[in-house]
Amino acid sequence: MIKTWPCTLPDGKVSEELVVWYGASNADNILIIPPLFDEHNKMRRQLIEVMRRLAEGGVDSQLPDLSGWNESLAPLEEQTLAFWREAVIEAAQTLRTSRFLAVRSGALLAPSLMRGWLYAPQTGPKLLRGMIRARIFSNKEAGRTETSEALHERGRAEGLMLSGWPIGPEMFRELETADIADSENHSVIEQSQIGGAGLWLRAEPSEDPRQADALATTILEDLAKPI
């Protein structure tokens, strides 16, 4: 089911953003925090498959867009990690989710006071390094030479276009040092527990039923354990 939710923007205005909703208003309710940027596109189909399996297990889940994501009209270059973290908390409160599943760099937005799972979490520097490496390689094929050092300097000062994503200077500076919050409320799910190679490594968006089964089963089994 596709709905909308009211996301507060940095200027105080409200933007109606899309949210994918699976379930039937059960007590257990999980907020899905997808990877950022290109990995979001690669993993979205797989996350929908995981949500379907959670619903079959009696657990609702919501995958909301934040400002600057997907069909959002808010300019991506004006967004920051700090604002997205606040928006995740707002989404959890608005959608009445009790837990979260954060995937890859989505873990950078995970609320430290909320219980949840970090699936193959990725730090900001690693995310940025991969995107800069992709830009250097693409430009090299086109006969243009750029260095990582020069791109970092430019990104800090004025922002940078990386893999088709316009990253603003504040976001760029945040990503250079962004780490995963250390919280006793969070449980890490490594890719080795799921099996196979991460779908974010593929060239195109894809899905893997066995990995979706494994991830959903891990979460459902955790929920069944006594607190």
Side-chain angles (χ1 to χ4, degrees):
M1 181 184 303
I2 305 294
K3 299 184 178 182
T4 62
W5 76 282
C7 178
T8 303
L9 299 176
D11 60 6
K13 296 180 180 179
V14 175
S15 175
E16 288 293 324
E17 304 294 357
L18 297 179
V19 53
V20 180
W21 192 306
Y22 268 92
S25 300
N26 294 300
D28 288 315
N29 209 350
I30 297 176
L31 184 76
I32 308 295
I33 309 174
L36 306 180
F37 311 122
D38 190 48
E39 287 190 6
H40 187 157
N41 291 339
K42 290 182 178 180
M43 291 293 294
R44 194 169 180 88
R45 286 166 54 183
Q46 180 73 352
L47 291 178
I48 296 297
E49 291 302 312
V50 173
M51 293 171 71
R52 286 176 179 158
R53 287 159 174 77
L54 290 174
E56 291 170 358
V59 176
D60 289 6
S61 58
Q62 291 83 42
L63 172 57
D65 282 348
L66 304 186
S67 57
W69 291 10
N70 294 313
E71 303 302 318
S72 174
L73 299 179
L76 174 59
E77 59 269 25
E78 296 179 6
Q79 310 307 311
T80 66
L81 285 184
F83 172 70
W84 280 349
R85 290 187 182 109
E86 293 178 2
V88 165
I89 294 173
E90 181 182 25
Q93 293 171 343
T94 301
L95 301 172
R96 298 181 181 180
T97 52
S98 56
R99 290 174 174 81
F100 71 83
L101 168 64
V103 180
R104 297 285 287 161
S105 53
L108 298 173
L109 311 180
S112 60
L113 299 180
M114 190 175 179
R115 289 187 176 275
W117 299 267
L118 309 179
Y119 171 36
Q122 183 187 45
T123 65
K126 286 185 178 179
L127 169 63
L128 201 57
R129 184 161 55 248
M131 296 175 76
I132 286 179
R133 187 184 301 119
R135 169 165 170 152
I136 291 174
F137 181 76
S138 176
N139 283 339
K140 184 176 181 180
E141 286 191 324
R144 298 187 296 271
T145 301
E146 292 180 311
T147 66
S148 176
E149 293 77 9
L151 289 174
H152 273 271
E153 289 183 10
R154 181 178 170 188
R156 295 182 198 115
E158 58 188 66
L160 208 59
M161 181 69 74
L162 294 174
S163 302
W165 303 92
I167 311 298
E170 186 171 353
M171 172 80 76
F172 190 95
R173 293 192 296 269
E174 288 174 312
L175 287 172
E176 286 187 302
T177 59
D179 205 348
I180 311 300
D182 183 15
S183 173
E184 62 182 10
N185 294 317
H186 300 171
S187 299
V188 176
I189 302 174
E190 300 291 357
Q191 181 60 28
S192 59
Q193 297 174 244
I194 303 304
L199 299 189
W200 52 86
L201 298 174
R202 298 184 182 181
E204 299 293 337
S206 186
E207 59 198 54
D208 186 312
R210 287 180 294 183
Q211 290 193 31
D213 287 341
L215 182 53
T217 298
T218 298
I219 293 171
L220 291 171
E221 289 178 346
D222 279 357
L223 286 172
K225 295 176 183 176
I227 298 177

